[in-house]
């Protein structure tokens, strides 16, 4: 947590220095666009490092997440209800982000002001017709798919592979453990790559300001305000849906989740709030055996705040580059994000990796995401708190469905269950 705090500080320092350097270049250099072009070399290096980790990270985390759920026959009724709730919540979160970014269109303020970038996508982009999209889903060779960073093909193969590993059971334990080790190694590699983030932020911000001047900064404030408004709407939707099932007890649940949500907000880490979330759910009346089953799955499959941000940020970047996405393309993007957002729990700056993987699929310059990296910590605070609320409500509702939610007067008996 201390390392993450230091990295955030360095990113903010890089942001401040980038603003200063960009201003100097814009006001003192005869050709500030040349300065922006040189800065793009640094962003290109960082983007290639990000893309380098995508394939092994997605494969290992997603396979382990599915395999650890156990065989479908054993997961049974609770697993189906849990995943059904997560699917509906995912669609709701992704759709809300998509609706708001099309309504507010925050990227239009940057139209024509984006610094030129030489960072071309190494991800193969399909024409996104229905036929090409469906054919593109299934890899002819997973090795080829990984070598080309075909994120959709990697996800499809991972789903089959993880499900098969869960069905095999004990014989696959060694392999799953090995992939779990790969996942941890890739998390460490991700940490190494993120050490370059302050330099990438400096380069990206200074390049844009060198070309367009300080006026472009107002876009950041507008973007943050609109995103936080979206987060508030998402909270209201989650609480309303929870009220439909829990009635007045939803307010007691919010009281129990207040502390872990605040912890997640202040640390920008929903994982840091996991113990307190579990403890709060048990105090609310959810029996431990159900909370211990649903909550960990939620941390892999139900990151509501992160998913809303992914659609919001991806279309924002497209708008900034003047790329108009059709309704069909936006629906395809939702499907991509629905899959790529799963199994990424615990990944530092997970949304950055997911967005990077998605941008290339739609021929949107990945350099655009670096403009958000400077304020990503403040956005991540809201995302993390929302993830806690979403998973808390989901666990309580599933417990209610299963008769595993103690009545208010019986809460003290839950610990003995």
């Amino acid at each position: 947590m201390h390392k993450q705090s230091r990295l955030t500080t360095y990113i903010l320092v890089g942001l401040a220095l980038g603003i200063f350097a960009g201003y100097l270049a814009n006001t003192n250099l005869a050709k500030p666009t040349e300065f922006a072009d040189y800065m793009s070399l640094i962003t290109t290096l960082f983007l290639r490092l990000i893309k380098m980790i995508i394939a092994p990270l997605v494969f290992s985390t997603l396979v382990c997440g599915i395999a650890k759920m156990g065989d479908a026959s054993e997961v049974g009724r609770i697993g189906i209800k849990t995943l059904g709730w997560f699917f509906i919540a995912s669609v709701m979160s992704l759709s809300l982000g998509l609706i708001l970014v099309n309504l507010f269109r925050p990227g239009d303020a940057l139209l024509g002001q984006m610094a030129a970038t030489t960072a071309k996508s190494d991800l193969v982009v399909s024409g996104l017709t229905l036929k090409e999209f469906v054919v593109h889903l299934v890899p002819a060779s997973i090795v080829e798919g990984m070598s080309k960073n075909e994120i959709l093909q990697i996800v499809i193969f991972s789903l089959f592979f993880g499900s098969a590993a869960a069905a095999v059971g004990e014989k696959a334990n060694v392999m799953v453990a090995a992939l779990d080790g790969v996942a941890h190694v890739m998390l460490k590699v991700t940490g190494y790559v993120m050490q370059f983030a302050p330099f990438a932020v400096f380069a990206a911000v200074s390049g844009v300001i060198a070309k367009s001047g300080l006026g472009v900064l107002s876009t950041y404030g507008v973007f943050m305000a609109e995103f936080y408004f979206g987060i508030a709407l998402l909270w209201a939707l989650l609480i309303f849906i929870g009220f439909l099932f829990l009635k007045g007890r939803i307010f007691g649940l919010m009281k129990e989740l207040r502390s872990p949500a605040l912890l997640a907000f202040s640390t920008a880490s929903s994982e840091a709030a996991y113990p307190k979330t579990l403890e709060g759910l048990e105090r609310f009346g959810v029996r431990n055996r159900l909370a211990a089953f649903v909550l960990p799955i939620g941390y892999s499959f139900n990151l509501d705040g992160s998913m809303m941000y992914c659609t919001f940020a991806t279309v924002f970047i497209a708008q900034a580059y003047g790329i108009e996405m059709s309704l069909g393309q936006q629906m395809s993007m939702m499907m991509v994000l629905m899959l790529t957002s799963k199994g990424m729990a615990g990944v530092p700056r997970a949304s950055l990796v997911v967005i990077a993987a998605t941008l290339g699929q739609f021929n949107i310059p990945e350099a655009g995401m670096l403009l958000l990296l400077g304020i990503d910590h403040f956005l991540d605070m809201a995302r993390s708190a929302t993830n806690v609320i979403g998973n808390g409500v989901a666990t309580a509702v599933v417990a209610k469905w299963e008769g595993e939610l103690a009545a208010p007067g019986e809460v003290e008996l839950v610990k003995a269950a």
Side-chain angles (χ1 to χ4, degrees), residues 118-279:
T118 58
K120 296 181 180 179
S121 172
D122 289 334
L123 304 180
V124 176
V125 182
S126 71
L128 293 177
T129 64
L130 178 61
K131 178 181 178 181
E132 290 171 332
F133 182 79
V134 172
V135 172
H136 194 68
L137 284 175
V138 182
S141 166
I142 186 57
V143 175
E144 180 185 7
M146 286 187 170
S147 68
K148 294 182 178 180
N149 256 347
E150 292 279 11
I151 190 66
L152 280 176
Q153 297 183 4
I154 296 170
V155 168
I156 293 298
F157 181 80
S158 300
L159 290 173
F160 277 100
F161 197 88
S163 299
V168 168
E170 187 176 343
K171 292 183 179 179
N173 287 348
V174 174
M175 183 204 64
V176 174
L179 283 176
D180 189 49
V182 172
H184 281 82
V185 170
M186 291 313 302
L187 290 177
K188 181 63 70 174
V189 173
T190 304
Y192 293 153
V193 170
M194 288 307 302
Q195 298 303 313
F196 291 94
F199 302 101
V201 169
F202 171 84
V205 172
S206 62
V208 169
I209 293 179
K211 182 180 179 181
S212 305
L214 289 176
V216 74
L217 291 180
S218 62
T219 304
Y220 286 116
V222 172
F223 180 88
M224 288 184 62
E226 291 171 348
F227 176 71
Y228 268 78
F229 174 75
I231 286 293
L233 283 182
L234 183 56
W235 277 47
L237 282 172
L238 290 170
I239 293 172
F240 174 73
I241 295 174
F243 177 81
L244 296 179
F245 295 95
L246 303 174
K247 306 304 179 184
R249 293 194 65 186
I250 185 65
F251 302 108
L253 177 62
M254 290 300 105
K255 183 178 179 181
E256 293 293 348
L257 294 177
R258 181 176 55 191
S259 177
L262 182 60
L263 177 62
F265 183 84
S266 59
T267 61
S269 170
S270 50
E271 287 75 26
Y274 178 87
K276 279 188 170 294
T277 305
L278 186 62
E279 181 182 329

Side-chain angles (χ1 to χ4, degrees), residues 26-367:
N26 179 260
T27 55
N28 295 293
L29 294 182
K31 296 181 179 180
T33 54
E34 291 185 358
F35 174 82
D37 289 339
Y38 284 120
M39 290 296 99
S40 71
L41 297 176
I42 299 175
T43 64
T44 298
L45 174 62
F46 182 73
L47 291 170
R48 291 183 68 86
L49 288 171
I50 287 290
K51 288 184 284 186
M52 175 186 72
I53 66 178
I54 288 175
L57 185 59
V58 170
F59 176 71
S60 58
T61 55
L62 192 53
V63 168
C64 289
I66 295 171
K68 289 180 179 179
M69 287 178 59
D71 185 73
S73 61
E74 296 180 6
V75 173
R77 181 180 69 250
I78 298 177
I80 293 174
K81 290 181 178 179
T82 300
L83 294 178
W85 174 276
F86 291 163
F87 176 79
I88 294 172
S90 297
V91 171
M92 182 182 71
S93 302
L94 291 166
S95 300
L96 181 61
L98 209 56
I99 292 170
L100 291 178
V101 76
N102 281 285
L103 180 65
F104 293 133
R105 298 193 63 85
D108 287 351
L110 285 173
L111 189 61
Q113 300 179 0
M114 298 299 292
T117 175
T118 58
K120 296 181 180 179
S121 172
D122 289 334
L123 304 180
V124 176
V125 182
S126 71
L128 293 177
T129 64
L130 178 61
K131 178 181 178 181
E132 290 171 332
F133 182 79
V134 172
V135 172
H136 194 68
L137 284 175
V138 182
S141 166
I142 186 57
V143 175
E144 180 185 7
M146 286 187 170
S147 68
K148 294 182 178 180
N149 256 347
E150 292 279 11
I151 190 66
L152 280 176
Q153 297 183 4
I154 296 170
V155 168
I156 293 298
F157 181 80
S158 300
L159 290 173
F160 277 100
F161 197 88
S163 299
V168 168
E170 187 176 343
K171 292 183 179 179
N173 287 348
V174 174
M175 183 204 64
V176 174
L179 283 176
D180 189 49
V182 172
H184 281 82
V185 170
M186 291 313 302
L187 290 177
K188 181 63 70 174
V189 173
T190 304
Y192 293 153
V193 170
M194 288 307 302
Q195 298 303 313
F196 291 94
F199 302 101
V201 169
F202 171 84
V205 172
S206 62
V208 169
I209 293 179
K211 182 180 179 181
S212 305
L214 289 176
V216 74
L217 291 180
S218 62
T219 304
Y220 286 116
V222 172
F223 180 88
M224 288 184 62
E226 291 171 348
F227 176 71
Y228 268 78
F229 174 75
I231 286 293
L233 283 182
L234 183 56
W235 277 47
L237 282 172
L238 290 170
I239 293 172
F240 174 73
I241 295 174
F243 177 81
L244 296 179
F245 295 95
L246 303 174
K247 306 304 179 184
R249 293 194 65 186
I250 185 65
F251 302 108
L253 177 62
M254 290 300 105
K255 183 178 179 181
E256 293 293 348
L257 294 177
R258 181 176 55 191
S259 177
L262 182 60
L263 177 62
F265 183 84
S266 59
T267 61
S269 170
S270 50
E271 287 75 26
Y274 178 87
K276 279 188 170 294
T277 305
L278 186 62
E279 181 182 329
L281 286 168
E282 291 183 11
R283 282 198 303 268
F284 178 68
V286 179
R287 299 188 186 279
N288 177 269
R289 61 176 177 268
L290 188 135
F293 173 77
V294 176
L295 197 58
I297 299 176
Y299 268 72
S300 289
F301 290 86
N302 191 45
L303 303 177
D304 296 325
S306 298
M307 284 184 286
M308 196 198 89
Y309 174 71
C310 284
T311 49
F312 197 90
T314 302
V315 178
F316 165 78
I317 294 169
Q319 292 170 353
Y321 280 99
I323 300 172
E324 290 297 329
M325 301 180 69
S326 67
L327 179 62
Q329 287 176 317
Q330 293 191 32
M331 293 298 101
S332 298
M333 184 190 68
M334 273 188 59
M335 287 189 284
V336 172
L337 288 169
M338 174 72 75
L339 294 173
T340 54
S341 63
K342 308 310 179 190
M344 299 296 283
V347 180
R349 307 283 177 178
S351 297
L352 177 67
V353 178
V354 171
I355 292 172
T358 305
L359 289 174
Q361 294 291 321
F362 296 89
N363 205 22
I364 303 171
E366 297 100 325

